[in-house]
Every structure is written in structure tokens, then in C-alpha cells.
Amino acid sequence: YAGVFTQNNDLADEIESISKVTGDKTWRMPLVENEYNSKLRSKVADIKNCGTRYGGAITAGLFLKKFVKKKRPFAHIDIAGPVWKENTGATGFGAKLVTEWVCRKGRKDEILGIVVGA
């Protein structure tokens, strides 16, 4: 399973639905700000992304949040665990999940006549 960190319920539901179709299994996890924002502080930069073994997936999501417009839903999908198998190497985990999500967004935007990125 890959951890899905988002504060947007609709996006979480969308990713879960796609996960079931593609077989790239996901599990929603909390994006806990109060307990982990302090780990983003840096002595030399405005912000750092140096996750540790403890809470690194959460701090990665919080790091991304700093760069996304407040009203834009986003998710951090932490694939670090399932993307690699010691005996065989890279698994490709997440590729089907993201590809299907992008394809669905493209079809939805075509139907609505939306220009992506506008």
C-alpha cells in the first residue's frame, strides 16, 4: 500500500476509486500539521524537505502544501515502500494509478471544455 496524504475528501475518494481499478493499493493517512510542521524548519533556508524515518511521509506532504494554492486540492502519494522489492528491483508501483488519474482528468476536462492549466 502507498500512503495518501490529503486534506481533500473528494480527491481522497477519487484516488481510492482509481486504486481499486488499477491494483495499485493506497491507504489514506492523516496530514498532521500541528505535530510535524516544526520538522520543516531550517537554519539556512526558508523551509527544508529532509524527512526522517519518523514522519517523513507526512513532512513530504506538508512540504508540498507550502507550494500549492490554498484552494487547490492536492495529495502526496508516498510510494517509497511498494515501489521497490529487494530481490527483483523496481516494481512500477504507482504508474498505473497516476496514469489513470491523469487520463480521467483529461476526459473530464474535454467534456467540460476546460483548458488545463488556465
Side-chain angles (χ1 to χ4, degrees), residues 2-9 12 26-37 54-63 65 74-78:
V4 175
F5 297 83
T6 183
Q7 293 175 325
N8 185 281
N9 292 330
T26 61
W27 192 268
R28 188 171 183 188
M29 303 293 290
L31 195 55
V32 184
E33 293 185 63
N34 296 342
E35 296 174 38
Y36 291 92
N37 259 336
Y54 306 102
I58 297 170
T59 57
L62 294 173
F63 179 82
K65 185 177 180 193
F74 81 97
H76 166 56
I77 304 172
D78 190 68

Side-chain angles (χ1 to χ4, degrees), residues 12-33:
D13 292 344
E14 195 175 345
I15 292 169
E16 182 182 1
S17 168
I18 293 169
S19 170
K20 290 176 181 174
V21 170
T22 64
D24 284 346
K25 296 178 180 179
T26 61
W27 192 268
R28 188 171 183 188
M29 303 293 290
L31 195 55
V32 184
E33 293 185 63

Side-chain angles (χ1 to χ4, degrees), residues 39-95:
K39 299 199 182 295
L40 300 177
R41 292 190 195 118
S42 170
K43 294 178 183 175
V44 295
D46 295 336
I47 189 173
K48 70 176 179 179
N49 183 22
C50 291
T52 65
R53 180 178 187 155
Y54 306 102
I58 297 170
T59 57
L62 294 173
F63 179 82
L64 292 173
K65 185 177 180 193
K66 302 284 185 187
F67 298 95
V68 178
K69 294 178 183 177
K70 290 188 188 286
K71 293 184 180 182
R72 175 145 334 252
F74 81 97
H76 166 56
I77 304 172
D78 190 68
I79 63 168
V83 78
W84 190 263
K85 286 188 179 179
E86 195 63 38
N87 58 343
T88 58
T91 65
F93 184 96

